[in-house]
Amino acid sequence: MFERSPVTRLLPVMLGALISLAGTTAAHADATLDKIEQRHVLVVGVLLSGGPFGGIDPATQKPRGLNVDLAQELGRQLGAQVQLVPVLPANRVQFLQQGKVDLLIANMEWTPERGEILGSVPTPFYRVGGSAAVLKDSPIARWEDLKDQPVCTSQGSSYVKPLTEFGAQIKAFKSSSESLLALRGNNCVAAVHDATLINPLLADSAEWQGYRALTPELNPAPSVIWTRRGETDTQARLDPIVQELHRSGWLIEAQTRNHITPASPALVELQQKFQASGA
Amino acid sequence: MNHWLEFFVHWASSLGLNYGFLLDAYPRSTLAQGALTTLWLCLLTIIGSLLTGLGLAALLTSGKRALAVPARVFIEVTRNTPTLVQLYCAFLVLNMLLNQAVGTANPLTPFAWVVIVISLHKGAFHAEALRAGIEAVPAVTLEAARSLAFSNRQLLWNVQLPLALRFALPSLINNLIDLVKMTAVASAIAVGDITYSAIMIWTQSDNVLELMILLLGFYGLLSFIVNCVGRYLEARLRMPGYGH
């Protein structure tokens, strides 16, 4: 009557083979380190929003900044070719989660909420807090003065939460450049970003002469290299490299090379810590 | 209300989707406020764009070069540049210049800029749809109306537009559905529409998938309502023996 075709008869066998194959690939826990060691490629998401941490060099049209230097140095030490992928604050987490990038060096500070959804290299490479650019004659002197005032920032900024707690009305733009333009258009009383973006901008640029920065820094937090959650092998491989970069003074030198002002006291502190423990 | 929400969250979690944030008052009120803002944006831009379209179509078909040429130039410029670029240009450049000129007395909020830019942008598309309708009115009908001593304005308002509207309706509804989806650009300049609210929530926590599904559902529903209204109007305005 009805006879099974050879293919249908083999179906359970093929399915079984497929399932066992899937099982063997799942045995590799940390795909990123495997990929780096086998294919010698490291894909790093960097934030190129301008400023000394990451931006485009107007002369050569190439990315530059501390983020870029650090990515290249990691690649050199791992013997891998570095591919840079520009990310935005609003999409960087998704880029990492979906595997478009292996690591994030994107001005993203460690917070407990982020620590739950992603993994990170334990040793931070920088410490940074928020600062606000306000008009020189503005009455705002303390962070508490921002209560019920419109404040510009970027979507995905880690300062949204503390600013909400101060009672500020947040206006979050796609990136820091739009936020700063909106401040200059008087759409808000302050623009809050990393102090490492605000300080050099106000110090160097003639266009920003009418503005001053708000101190002290808001919520100083460690900047870390982010990995996908659970990729402990990659973290364990990168952690001694970052510690060595502190110990040898490479990070302090990179800070000077990229004209990051004011120089971070945290870098000196970390260098002393690792020099003491390493010696 | 809360009972249903809890039921939904429970049901979604059985599908592996975590809608727990909906039970939290802060994200829920942010989303609800965003949905309301999007509804207002849609309502105001639908009215604004239809009025703009009507005005531009009247200029285009007036038969006077001095009126038709500027209208044509405006339509071509508006139609051929991206909405997002226009919005940035209006909000980050024009608004800044306006602020420098009048200081803090500038009455235009980011919300107002979105309404203006989308109304003008979609108005240009409506104008073309209405022009097609107006030009499809048979010449003999116009002659008959002229022989009854209709002035140009009466001709447009009482003869051409009622017929043109019936021809243009499918195109207009098409444009309006596009307009509903276009309101999402408001999020780029920090107007708190539903897209913006969703971005603000998902950049602080890990629920992109859930929020995306919610967003798609919301915009889908809104466009579907516009579609249904369009179908109803088409059936309502149908004239036996004309067009269909």
Side-chain angles (χ1 to χ4, degrees):
Chain A
M1 286 276 286
F2 180 80
E3 212 173 297
R4 282 170 143 195
S5 72
V7 178
T8 355
R9 215 176 296 148
L10 278 174
L11 210 58
V13 183
M14 284 157 76
L15 263 176
L18 263 177
I19 289 166
S20 60
L21 259 178
T24 50
T25 47
H28 292 275
D30 194 335
T32 301
L33 195 62
D34 274 354
K35 186 179 148 198
I36 294 166
E37 282 173 353
Q38 284 165 15
R39 287 195 257 158
H40 305 290
V41 173
L42 179 64
V43 188
V44 185
V46 288
L47 194 69
L48 301 176
S49 55
F53 271 81
I56 304 284
D57 189 339
T60 60
Q61 303 296 313
K62 291 217 170 79
R64 65 166 184 197
L66 184 76
N67 291 339
V68 178
D69 288 355
L70 182 58
Q72 297 291 0
E73 178 64 19
L74 289 182
R76 193 184 66 77
Q77 294 206 21
L78 293 167
Q81 197 204 341
V82 174
Q83 290 173 2
L84 295 175
V85 176
V87 295
L88 286 175
N91 66 19
R92 54 193 173 187
V93 175
Q94 285 74 47
F95 267 53
L96 183 59
Q97 285 177 332
Q98 294 164 10
K100 285 197 193 311
V101 300
D102 298 327
L103 301 174
L104 272 185
I105 307 180
N107 293 41
M108 194 163 131
E109 290 83 45
W110 192 90
T111 63
E113 294 84 17
R114 288 168 176 170
E116 270 181 25
I117 57 176
L118 296 174
S120 61
V121 177
T123 308
F125 64 89
Y126 211 83
R127 187 184 301 153
V128 67
S131 185
V134 294
L135 274 171
K136 275 219 168 103
D137 53 6
S138 148
I140 288 158
R142 297 173 307 147
W143 290 101
E144 288 79 11
D145 296 340
L146 291 174
K147 187 172 163 54
D148 295 327
Q149 300 287 330
V151 174
C152 288
T153 184
S154 52
Q155 290 169 5
S157 156
S158 56
Y159 307 119
V160 169
K161 208 173 164 218
L163 285 171
T164 319
E165 282 159 14
F166 282 127
Q169 298 169 12
I170 306 286
K171 289 169 178 265
F173 291 81
K174 283 252 173 291
S175 75
S176 54
S177 25
E178 282 100 8
S179 156
L180 290 166
L181 269 172
L183 170 69
R184 299 194 49 203
N186 274 343
N187 292 294
C188 35
V189 299
V192 178
H193 298 281
D194 287 344
T196 47
L197 173 72
I198 300 277
N199 289 331
L201 190 70
L202 300 194
D204 302 340
S205 166
E207 290 180 349
W208 287 92
Q209 267 183 357
Y211 292 83
R212 63 181 164 84
L214 196 63
T215 49
E217 287 193 355
L218 179 67
N219 277 25
S223 294
V224 294
I225 301 170
W226 291 93
T227 69
R228 278 177 281 278
R229 189 166 67 175
E231 294 200 322
T232 45
D233 297 347
T234 312
Q235 291 158 21
R237 180 81 178 79
L238 291 176
D239 199 45
I241 299 183
V242 178
Q243 290 186 10
E244 182 52 37
L245 292 178
H246 276 297
R247 193 180 300 132
S248 66
W250 185 93
L251 276 164
I252 294 181
E253 202 241 317
Q255 174 184 250
T256 326
R257 181 161 15 104
N258 286 297
H259 311 290
I260 298 174
T261 49
S264 160
L267 281 187
V268 181
E269 207 178 284
L270 283 161
Q271 183 183 32
Q272 280 162 358
K273 179 182 153 197
F274 289 116
Q275 275 175 347
S277 66
Chain B
M1 165 73 198
N2 261 337
H3 176 74
W4 284 108
L5 208 59
E6 268 170 46
F7 179 75
F8 170 75
V9 170
H10 191 74
W11 173 78
S13 72
S14 70
L15 297 176
L17 295 170
N18 175 18
Y19 276 103
F21 61 93
L22 285 179
L23 299 175
D24 213 355
Y26 181 70
R28 193 176 60 216
S29 71
T30 313
L31 271 180
Q33 192 60 42
L36 196 67
T37 310
T38 296
L39 287 178
W40 273 114
L41 268 180
C42 287
L43 192 70
L44 292 175
T45 46
I46 284 175
I47 296 170
S49 67
L50 285 173
L51 290 177
T52 313
L54 196 63
L56 285 171
L59 294 180
L60 278 179
T61 55
S62 63
K64 299 192 179 76
R65 261 185 75 81
L67 295 177
V69 170
R72 169 58 51 199
V73 169
F74 176 82
I75 289 174
E76 292 307 329
V77 170
T78 318
R79 219 168 35 150
N80 299 343
T81 48
T83 329
L84 184 63
V85 176
Q86 290 172 3
L87 190 64
Y88 274 155
C89 187
F91 179 66
L92 296 174
V93 181
L94 285 184
N95 193 44
M96 191 196 290
L97 294 177
L98 202 64
N99 265 328
Q100 281 168 1
V102 300
T104 46
N106 182 0
L108 291 170
T109 59
F111 183 88
W113 279 111
V114 175
V115 173
I116 292 170
V117 167
I118 296 184
S119 292
L120 293 181
H121 187 86
K122 270 293 151 213
F125 286 85
H126 290 334
E128 286 294 273
L130 283 170
R131 183 175 67 90
I134 290 171
E135 287 177 355
V137 175
V140 284
T141 312
L142 293 182
E143 268 175 35
R146 275 212 190 84
S147 73
L148 293 171
F150 275 38
S151 71
N152 268 344
R153 189 179 302 162
Q154 283 175 316
L155 205 65
L156 180 70
W157 195 249
N158 295 325
V159 182
Q160 284 176 302
L161 271 182
L163 293 174
L165 189 66
R166 288 166 167 84
F167 272 120
L169 202 56
S171 281
L172 288 178
I173 296 301
N174 205 14
N175 289 345
L176 289 182
I177 289 177
D178 198 37
L179 175 143
V180 167
K181 297 180 291 178
M182 193 182 270
T183 56
V185 297
S187 67
I189 61 164
V191 171
D193 75 328
I194 194 166
T195 312
Y196 178 83
S197 314
I199 293 175
M200 291 309 280
I201 297 173
W202 86 49
T203 48
Q204 302 296 328
S205 49
D206 182 30
N207 42 25
V208 182
L209 179 65
E210 288 84 357
L211 281 163
M212 273 294 175
I213 295 172
L214 214 60
L215 269 188
L216 289 176
F218 181 78
Y219 282 111
L221 185 71
L222 221 53
S223 309
F224 184 68
I225 291 172
V226 173
N227 181 30
C228 288
V229 172
R231 284 297 162 87
Y232 168 78
L233 282 177
E234 264 181 59
R236 184 73 212 266
L237 295 175
R238 178 166 291 152
M239 295 191 335
Y242 189 81
H244 298 280

